[in-house]
Amino acid sequence: MRYTTIGSGTLSARRVSVLSLGAMRFGTTTDEATSFAILDRYVEAGGSFIDTSNNYLFYVNRTQGGESEALLGRWRASRGIADEIVIATKVGARPLAPATDFDTPREGLSRAAIREASERSRERLGVERIDLYYAHVPDQTGVPLDEQVAAFGELVADGTVGLLGLSNHWAWQVERARGLAAAAGSPRADVLQYHHTYLRMRTDIPDLRFSRDGEIGVADGSILSYLRAEPGMTLVAYSPLLNGAYTRPDKELDRGYDHPGTRARLEALDQVVKQTGATANQVVLAWLTRGELPVVALIGASSVAQLDESLAAVDLQLSAEQRRLLDAAN
């Protein structure tokens, strides 16, 4: 395993593996025994960074979520896991009532909602402190951004949260939130979580569920350039393997990838796959985690075999020429 550091503070910074394990489906579509086996294998391989949320996975069994956090809590207790494993969770997108879709009103990011949600997440996870706490999505209830920033800062001051992060926010919201925190002398969000992979996704297609202005959760040029300009920040890239679409013909790409650049990039990827003997998934993960930007790849797995394929990418070193080929394809 290889490691990187998240967080810029000397006291709160944490050393984590460059592959983070997503636990979204653990406890629902991935049963407990399989989830425990995947978690055990991940830790055995040196993995130390697990991702979840307080709303995972509400729409499977018509709940409000929390199944993933609760499973991680049981796994931690049964294995004697302590501070050596960094667990990230999120607040802001949990439905206010049991739901099966994203139309149900969500908890939002008021001071009261953040504090209440953090307490419940700590109970389910069985921890005294949340290592990394994200604002999952922008607040839709009208809470001022300065209230949100202050509420997260209070949790850090209380010692119940370590690092802060922002997920699926517009770039201007990231900058404004970090500016408000700096002006108030409050901790800033040092970790961003967005969808990011080798293929480039169009961001101009409106998603009527979340934003009429286009796709909000993608690491587009504004997010990537922000990372270059702000030393000490890290991008956690979710869905880097496109749910199997790189390697499985039966998996269709999202319509956002229906543009000429996709074919060019897939051709370049195929060349590097043939040169290295690695799988397309492994090349994508190596490209993400060994590039110029500080990126942690957030991988999912429904079996130990799937996890092992991703773990093997840690040792894959792309040549300078292979990286140039991949980067230049458009």
Side-chain angles (χ1 to χ4, degrees):
M1 184 57 70
R2 290 185 291 109
Y3 300 89
T4 188
T5 298
I6 59 173
S8 57
T10 55
L11 296 179
S12 58
R14 297 295 300 270
R15 183 172 178 263
V16 297
S17 51
V18 297
L19 294 184
S20 175
L21 179 62
M24 182 172 73
R25 299 186 179 280
F26 292 175
T28 51
T29 58
T30 304
D31 65 50
E32 185 148 328
T34 303
S35 299
F36 276 34
I38 293 169
L39 288 160
D40 290 344
R41 174 66 185 121
Y42 175 71
V43 172
E44 177 189 25
S48 63
F49 191 12
I50 299 172
D51 183 271
T52 186
S53 176
N54 72 340
N55 70 330
Y56 291 162
L57 196 55
F58 72 89
Y59 52 80
V60 173
N61 297 317
R62 193 180 179 86
T63 68
Q64 291 174 269
E67 294 92 340
S68 173
E69 288 182 329
L71 181 140
L72 288 174
R74 295 191 294 274
W75 172 74
R76 288 183 73 259
S78 68
R79 303 302 193 259
I81 298 292
D83 294 340
E84 66 270 21
I85 302 298
V86 173
I87 296 182
T89 193
K90 311 177 191 76
V91 58
R94 183 179 170 91
L96 293 177
T100 57
D101 56 50
F102 290 92
D103 295 328
T104 302
R106 292 174 281 185
E107 63 193 342
L109 294 171
S110 68
R111 176 180 274 103
I114 291 171
R115 183 164 290 277
E116 171 68 16
S118 68
E119 291 177 4
R120 301 291 82 78
S121 285
R122 286 189 288 115
E123 288 175 358
R124 287 188 289 267
L125 290 167
V127 299
E128 295 183 0
R129 185 179 79 160
I130 297 170
D131 298 313
L132 169 59
Y133 205 29
Y134 290 100
H136 197 165
V137 293
D139 176 82
Q140 300 294 321
T141 65
V143 178
L145 197 54
D146 57 353
E147 179 182 332
Q148 301 173 41
V149 169
F152 280 104
E154 289 166 5
L155 296 180
V156 176
D158 291 346
T160 55
V161 166
L163 293 169
L164 298 176
L166 290 167
S167 173
N168 302 315
H169 283 64
W170 297 114
W172 69 264
Q173 293 172 321
V174 174
E175 170 62 13
R176 189 171 297 178
R178 283 171 50 83
L180 287 169
S186 183
R188 298 189 301 181
D190 282 335
V191 185
L192 303 180
Q193 185 174 133
Y194 290 80
H195 171 52
H196 186 45
T197 183
Y198 174 59
L199 295 183
R200 291 297 186 93
M201 187 179 194
R202 289 179 55 183
T203 58
D204 61 322
I205 303 174
D207 185 336
L208 298 181
R209 293 182 305 168
F210 301 114
S211 171
R212 63 183 180 182
D213 295 319
E215 180 59 59
I216 190 173
V218 176
D220 61 4
S222 64
I223 296 296
L224 299 179
S225 63
Y226 191 88
L227 284 166
R228 288 190 178 90
E230 292 290 324
M233 297 192 72
T234 303
L235 171 65
V236 175
Y238 69 77
S239 299
L241 303 181
L242 301 178
N243 297 314
Y246 282 114
T247 57
R248 291 179 54 182
D250 62 310
K251 291 284 188 177
E252 292 187 3
L253 289 171
D254 185 277
R255 62 176 179 160
Y257 295 105
D258 186 13
H259 59 82
T262 293
R263 174 172 291 186
R265 288 217 148 194
L266 288 176
E267 289 174 352
L269 179 61
D270 186 58
Q271 289 184 53
V272 176
V273 165
K274 291 175 180 176
Q275 292 170 8
T276 60
T279 68
N281 287 339
Q282 290 165 347
V283 172
V284 169
L285 292 176
W287 179 83
L288 280 170
T289 60
R290 290 185 181 270
E292 61 173 318
L293 291 177
V295 176
V296 170
L298 177 53
I299 57 172
S302 58
S303 68
V304 172
Q306 284 185 353
L307 175 63
D308 281 338
E309 180 189 6
S310 295
L311 291 172
V314 172
D315 297 324
L316 177 60
Q317 177 71 62
L318 301 176
S319 70
E321 180 56 36
Q322 288 166 344
R323 182 165 285 278
R324 280 193 293 269
L325 174 65
L326 292 168
D327 291 345
N330 288 296

